[in-house]
Amino acid sequence: MKIVYVYKKNVYAAYKAAYLHLKLDANALSQEVLKKANREVKPYYLGVDEDLNEVYVADGGRNLTIYKNVIEGLASIYGEEIKIIDIK
């Protein structure tokens, strides 16, 4: 399964949630990492959790509903399970 933490404005919350999910040190998030945060509307791979789920962080763009529909549609085409977690 692929897990995508999607944000619109709060990049820090999305990265912190993904770091906590991966059991990484969330205090290690520096301003430099957040400044380089992916501002494109594509998933950024962070790692694999203990259940072998791939964890991603992505900017949801202008409309999160459209982004979710596109990602879920692509996942169904390729036969992948996906879980999208919206960080507001």
Side-chain angles (χ1 to χ4, degrees), residues 21-39:
H21 179 99
L22 291 171
K23 297 183 180 173
L24 299 174
D25 183 13
N27 295 326
L29 278 172
S30 66
Q31 292 299 323
E32 185 176 314
V33 170
L34 296 175
K35 285 180 186 176
K36 292 181 182 178
N38 187 17
R39 293 304 302 171

Side-chain angles (χ1 to χ4, degrees), residues 54-67:
E54 296 177 10
V55 177
Y56 296 85
V57 173
D59 181 357
R62 291 183 183 176
N63 191 328
L64 292 176
T65 304
I66 292 172
Y67 184 81

